[in-house]
Amino acid sequence: MNTTRVARWLLLSIMALMLGAGWWAPCPYDRQFRDQIAAPPSQTHLLGTDSVGRDRFSRLLYGGRISLFLVPAAATLSVGIALAIALGAALAGGWRESAATALIDLFLSMPWLFLLLAVRALLPLNAAPWLSVGTTFALLGLLGWPGPARVLLAAAHVQLDTAYVLRARASGCGPLRLAIIHIAPNLAPVAWAQFWTTAPAYLLAEVNLALLGLGIAEPLPSWGSLLRELQSLSSISHQPWILVPLGVLIVTLGCSQVAWKTGDYPT
Amino acid sequence: MMRLFRLLILLSALQPAVAQWGGELRFCLRSEPRSLHPDKVDDDASELVRYLTGGVLVRVNRLTQQAEPSLAVAWKVLDGGRAIRFQLREGVRFSDGTPFTAADVVFTLETLVDPAIHSPEAEPFRDVHALAEAPCTVMVRFPGTLAGGVRLFDQVAILSRRSPLKEAATLGPFHVSEHKPGAYIRLERNPYYWRMHAGRRLPYLDAVRLDIQQNRDAELLRFRRGEIHLISRLGPDQFDELARDRTGDVKDAGITLENEFLWFNMSPAAPLPAYEKAWFNARDFRLAISHAIHRDDLCRVVYHGHAAASAGPFPSTNLFWFNRNLQPHAADAVLARRLLTGAGFRFQGDKLLDHQGHAVEFSVVTSAGNQSRERMAALIEQDLAAIGIRLRIVTLDFPSLIERVSKTSAYESCLLGLNNVDLDPDGQMNLWLSSSTHHAWNPMQKSPATPWEAEIDQLMREQASAPTPAQRKTLFDRVQQIVADQAPILYLVNPSALVAFSSRLRNVQPSVMNPRLVWNIDELYLAGATAK
Amino acid sequence: MTGIPEHNRLGRLGRAVARRVSILLLLVITVTILSAVLVRLAPGFGMDESQLDLRLSNDSVASVRTELESPGTLLGLGNAVARLAHGDWGVSLALHQPVRELFLERSSLSLRTFCTGLFLAWTASFAAAVVLAWLRRPALDVCAALATGAWLCLPAAVIAVLCLYFQLVPGLALSAILIPRIFRYTRNILQAAASKPYVLAARARGVHEPSLMGRHICQPAAPELLALAGISISMAVSAMIPVEALCDSPGIGQLVWQSAAARDLPVLIYLTVLIAVVTCVANLVSDTASTLLSPEAW
């Protein structure tokens, strides 16, 4: 059977499960079964319960909604901004390119954690959880573009020296059309590589940010908060089923890459 | 023959274990000590180093909770509690050989109150007058009566007035020999330590190595491998794991003096809507919340049974000050609903509304990264949902939390813990006085906002100068009763002291007070060690 | 096309480098000022755990707060810059030690971690990417991509704990975090270079594979690889912070983590300057080398 088709079906199934968590999940994500704390998998709790007795399977389903949509959105935002800046700087050249490079270096050097803290502090304490988590991921997306931008800028320079660009210019193609129609599609593999590297980085960033109070507020689940349980080796050895969220994440990312034929790698 | 053999076995088992001299004790500090100067101690790591190196006039025994002679062989409280005369031990020297005299005590008390240092121990000693009456006699005069003043000297490490090493010269069992910032601190035995056993100077150990290790998993790994000899603060998960695997000796030493509690922001200056302030200022609202919380579940689920429901500021392990008439507020959702209805709230479906129709929703701030508090908050959120209240959990990093709680007052409720250093209620004076910046729910009041706070102010001042411990106890019992009745602070749980130590380490007597396992460091020894 | 005279080429390059160095200096000053403002405006500045100590009186708490907030005032910042000009880096608010001493104590360990991590990461990633480009087996490529995808999903805390469990140096933890990232970029760059028509032509003409890899694939890809090298240094600097913090390695990364948590402005200013200088110099060097290697420059 065609691998792409298998991957697409698998991905669609995962997304359908997550989106339909309200129907599929055996119980609400915040319901506590206080007589079954850290219970192993059973018929009632497919992936067991966590340290306060919440059903892990339900939390995996509901958590996927945040991770499957907000994380790719933030990564898309970063890579989109990076692509726009890289193309603009490469085509403009001269002092404009130097300014863009300087801006990239500036952004790479700044301690943006404090901006995250400051913006989150501006939100009211009783703000809805989706607002606080959305703000965090939006900021990650807005601030995460410099790394991809540098790589895309170098790749754009390589494209500028190719024959097809020379021919397009000679045919009178304007810079905007040159950037969007001719160069951008050829940068797609590099952009996708940046995307597939940035997306898991943002998901994992949520784990670290939770230590500073910038993560997803309890009791709302996310895959990042589920991965936090892996930080203890002893937990993994005694409760190996807590690796399932990691497995689901790996399968989802892998299927996405196969399913979308991004040119990131051959299928 | 077999009978003789059995008799020999029995006799050897009955013989007391002979202490072995030498060896290096190794364990971990959770953070870098901020200062090794005994007067600048304001964090746990620095306090431990001071305990192990500093010599004090009086030492509070961590098991009996009684003050015992240390560098002072005797003391006499005079002038109705306004003065204490200490008779000092003779022939004692600092770790560099400098003789210890009364002049050193005077010098220490003068240095302690230096305003540039902001020493937490300085407050009771401001305006104190110390006089060296004789080389081994010192008189300390307080400006007013200070009940229980003797125990304050447990936290005051004596400095040398004359030693060229300044504060590095110590009177305790050890002195700092090596400090690699971020990595470790090594302490070596004080060759002039005053305590003796069998004609030799204690401690039994040659050295103590304190590795700086923030990662709890790494600390546990190292304990399992035998790289460190003890862990004095285990989480409930780690405790159960070690107990299951029977690695070393694992003990629940009993309920600590630590307290986890929740309070509401009742400050009039708080940037909260008026209706919310009205909720938090209503006694029945606070009591209803308290009765809605299942403290037993907090103990069982979060602490795996290694905790006890808390009834007030002191747990039962505070042998003298605990008020035995107090009981933790029982979980009773029916009572909680009745209290809320009586306070003018009403239920609409599964939501609670106030008399103006506002849905009762508020946030609780707590420290990020503290798993126990995050879990407690999750449990409390569900408990309050059962009585129609929606609780939003907000975790903040500690500086942000401190700013909201102590500076801007921009919070609704707060879930935090207190590490009781002091057995005596005087140590919590600043929590109970309404004019204090530490008066959690409504700090820095120009005059007490409520009659019960005025009563607490008066009672605390009275007990601080009461002539006898029994009178002080009666007064503070009343304070505890008022707090239980008015519930400005909802006391939740007192966690247990969960410790682990190597089977090679002997004479260990775990205590619920800090430092839990090494409070008798000069009596600890490692089996199989050899002296240097 | 006629070649550009060498002295003209070197002159142009020299002017470009000089321009970048002056931009670098301006950048460092801008980063310093902006970072100080960010830290100052972030919540929790001037706050310390000691302010919750019940033993401190109102006056003591106020005094501690004033002391901690003073470096964040305009005067405080101005004094810090003036002191820096005289080589005085100030005193850490959290650790009460001179900042210069803190740096010097920790820098050698961090440098070791950084160099080990980056060297291992590049060696492993480049070697794996070259092997994949050489073998040209799609199945292997898919496996490698999926494996690195899975590897990317591992939290840094898990990697750090594994290193602690197996008693590995923090440099290995750092390389474990960098390898999947550097590998993916390198693989794409080499694959794009390998799919060029002239490579196919060279292969059809019987050019040996090693020569093909070196002259026709790696060499043309050098500018992109060098750009990636510059960015990998920034990645390594960023990754070193959680690695050292989680592995309890007393380096500069751990100092950054602790200083950020404590809002230790004097330490943070100098750490930011250090990171800015490292980032900008790395990018300057990689861009210059990339320009030198680019045939169009000559």
Side-chain angles (χ1 to χ4, degrees), chain B residues 32-35 41-42 47 50 115-116 118-121 123 126 155 179-183 212-215 217-218 221 225 227 397-400 402-403 405-407 416 418 420-421 427-431 435-438 444, chain C residues 40 42-45 47-61 63-65 67 69 93-97 102 105-106 109 157 160-161 164-167 245-250 254 257-258 260-263:
Chain B
E32 176 86 43
R34 283 151 56 126
S35 175
V41 164
D42 60 4
E47 194 168 328
R50 181 179 68 185
H118 304 301
S119 172
E121 280 78 38
E123 298 305 324
R126 293 203 193 281
Q155 303 287 316
H179 178 202
K180 190 157 182 248
I212 295 162
Q213 189 97 67
Q214 287 183 321
N215 191 320
D217 283 307
L221 266 170
R225 284 194 197 122
E227 291 172 14
D397 67 312
F398 219 62
S400 304
I402 296 170
E403 188 179 56
V405 161
S406 67
K407 189 178 174 188
L416 259 191
L418 187 64
N420 275 336
V421 173
Q428 292 189 10
M429 182 69 78
N430 285 328
L431 175 62
S435 56
S436 169
T437 189
H438 298 294
M444 306 273 280
Chain C
R40 178 62 189 87
F45 179 76
M47 298 294 126
D48 184 72
E49 205 175 326
S50 62
Q51 291 167 36
L52 294 182
D53 193 326
L54 292 182
R55 296 169 294 179
L56 290 181
S57 67
N58 293 359
D59 290 338
S60 294
V61 169
S63 185
V64 167
R65 193 172 289 160
E67 207 175 291
E69 286 176 351
L93 296 174
L95 298 172
H96 307 297
Q97 285 180 54
L102 282 171
E105 278 161 5
R106 293 165 178 260
L109 180 61
V161 165
L164 284 169
Y165 186 77
F166 293 108
Q167 295 179 288
L246 293 163
C247 291
D248 279 334
S249 175
Q254 190 194 60
W257 187 272
Q258 289 171 350
R263 310 291 195 274

Side-chain angles (χ1 to χ4, degrees), chain B residues 218-412:
Chain B
E219 188 185 23
L220 195 65
L221 266 170
R222 295 184 65 195
F223 180 75
R224 283 175 181 282
R225 284 194 197 122
E227 291 172 14
I228 56 174
H229 296 107
L230 60 94
I231 303 178
S232 57
R233 197 173 276 271
L234 281 169
D237 300 334
Q238 294 176 321
F239 180 88
D240 290 342
E241 192 192 318
L242 283 179
R244 198 166 38 229
D245 300 340
R246 297 185 191 209
T247 311
D249 286 326
V250 186
K251 280 207 165 42
D252 178 342
I255 303 299
T256 62
L257 302 178
E258 291 171 15
N259 226 319
E260 297 289 323
F261 49 83
L262 184 147
W263 77 86
F264 296 97
N265 188 354
M266 294 196 273
S267 169
L272 302 175
Y275 60 84
E276 275 192 24
K277 290 183 189 177
W279 302 343
F280 301 148
N281 280 283
R283 171 182 169 269
D284 284 353
F285 178 83
R286 299 193 299 270
L287 281 174
I289 303 284
S290 191
H291 282 288
I293 296 171
H294 287 73
R295 287 170 175 76
D296 290 341
D297 282 352
L298 297 181
C299 295
R300 184 175 55 81
V301 173
V302 177
Y303 293 94
H304 301 198
H306 300 293
S310 181
F314 289 131
S316 56
T317 40
N318 187 333
L319 303 170
F320 183 74
W321 292 103
F322 174 58
N323 184 345
R324 281 165 175 68
N325 297 323
L326 291 181
Q327 293 297 324
H329 288 155
D332 189 341
V334 171
L335 173 60
R337 284 173 175 260
R338 199 165 61 236
L339 285 164
L340 287 167
T341 320
F345 293 85
R346 60 188 166 87
F347 289 90
Q348 192 177 75
D350 59 353
K351 268 196 194 169
L352 182 71
L353 305 178
D354 68 4
H355 67 280
Q356 291 175 335
H358 297 111
V360 178
E361 296 181 5
F362 57 90
S363 61
V364 62
V365 297
T366 191
S367 47
N370 187 314
Q371 270 191 351
S372 299
R373 280 192 200 130
E374 288 174 8
R375 288 173 187 171
M376 276 200 291
L379 290 169
I380 292 170
E381 190 251 344
Q382 286 287 287
D383 288 342
L384 296 189
I387 58 168
I389 294 176
R390 189 166 179 188
L391 184 72
R392 288 200 202 281
I393 302 167
V394 179
T395 51
L396 298 172
D397 67 312
F398 219 62
S400 304
L401 181 74
I402 296 170
E403 188 179 56
R404 282 187 185 267
V405 161
S406 67
K407 189 178 174 188
T408 62
S409 239
Y411 71 102
E412 288 163 317

Side-chain angles (χ1 to χ4, degrees), chain A:
Chain A
M1 198 177 175
N2 189 301
T3 3
T4 313
R5 198 176 293 174
V6 169
R8 281 181 183 161
W9 275 111
L10 199 52
L11 187 63
L12 277 170
S13 310
I14 292 172
M15 290 177 79
L17 264 178
M18 303 298 159
L19 278 173
W23 293 294
W24 313 123
C27 54
Y29 61 82
D30 58 351
R31 176 150 173 220
Q32 295 164 4
F33 297 87
R34 294 188 185 180
D35 51 345
Q36 295 176 61
I37 302 299
S42 62
Q43 258 188 331
T44 343
H45 305 290
L46 293 175
L47 290 177
T49 57
D50 66 6
S51 55
V52 289
R54 296 175 297 204
D55 181 59
R56 276 214 176 86
F57 182 63
S58 302
R59 290 179 68 75
L60 179 64
L61 294 182
Y62 280 101
R65 293 199 289 192
I66 291 174
S67 304
L68 274 186
F69 294 100
L70 282 183
V71 167
T76 305
L77 183 61
S78 289
V79 176
I81 295 173
L83 190 59
I85 289 178
L87 281 172
L91 282 169
W95 67 267
R96 293 183 192 85
E97 188 182 343
S98 301
T101 312
L103 189 66
I104 289 169
D105 288 343
L106 178 78
F107 264 70
L108 282 172
S109 309
M110 292 288 295
W112 292 116
L113 172 68
F114 296 101
L115 179 66
L116 281 169
L117 286 169
V119 170
R120 280 292 291 267
L122 291 173
L123 295 175
L125 281 181
N126 55 6
W130 61 263
L131 180 62
S132 62
V133 74
T135 308
T136 300
F137 279 106
L139 278 173
L140 282 176
L142 286 170
L143 300 172
W145 61 265
R150 271 202 71 83
V151 180
L152 286 165
L153 185 58
H157 271 295
V158 170
Q159 295 299 318
L160 283 178
D161 298 328
T162 54
Y164 75 87
V165 168
L166 187 64
R167 188 171 174 180
R169 276 188 164 141
S171 309
C173 188
L176 192 61
R177 189 181 169 80
L178 187 66
I180 297 172
I181 305 293
H182 296 286
I183 302 179
N186 285 289
L187 289 181
V190 182
W192 276 115
Q194 298 299 315
F195 177 86
W196 292 121
T197 313
T198 312
Y202 285 167
L203 195 131
L204 298 178
E206 189 240 307
V207 178
N208 292 329
L209 290 176
L211 294 171
L212 297 164
L214 293 167
I216 313 273
E218 281 280 340
L220 205 58
S222 69
W223 283 357
S225 62
L226 294 173
L227 290 179
R228 251 179 97 181
E229 292 183 302
L230 301 181
Q231 289 178 14
S232 168
L233 262 182
S234 52
S235 301
I236 298 173
S237 60
H238 289 111
Q239 299 175 292
W241 50 89
I242 64 174
L243 287 167
V244 170
L246 181 65
V248 172
L249 174 64
I250 291 169
V251 166
T252 308
L253 276 175
C255 288
S256 306
Q257 290 174 76
V258 176
W260 286 348
K261 281 194 180 172
T262 60
D264 184 33
Y265 69 91
T267 55

Side-chain angles (χ1 to χ4, degrees), chain C residues 174-187:
Chain C
L174 181 63
S175 67
I177 291 171
L178 293 174
I179 283 172
R181 290 161 178 78
I182 296 176
F183 168 76
R184 289 186 82 102
Y185 300 153
T186 313
R187 181 183 61 86

Side-chain angles (χ1 to χ4, degrees), chain B residues 27 29 48-49 52 183-187 208-212:
Chain B
F27 59 99
L29 293 175
L48 178 65
V49 174
L52 298 177
Y184 66 88
I185 296 176
R186 196 164 183 277
L187 313 177
V208 176
R209 184 180 154 118
L210 307 167
D211 288 331
I212 295 162

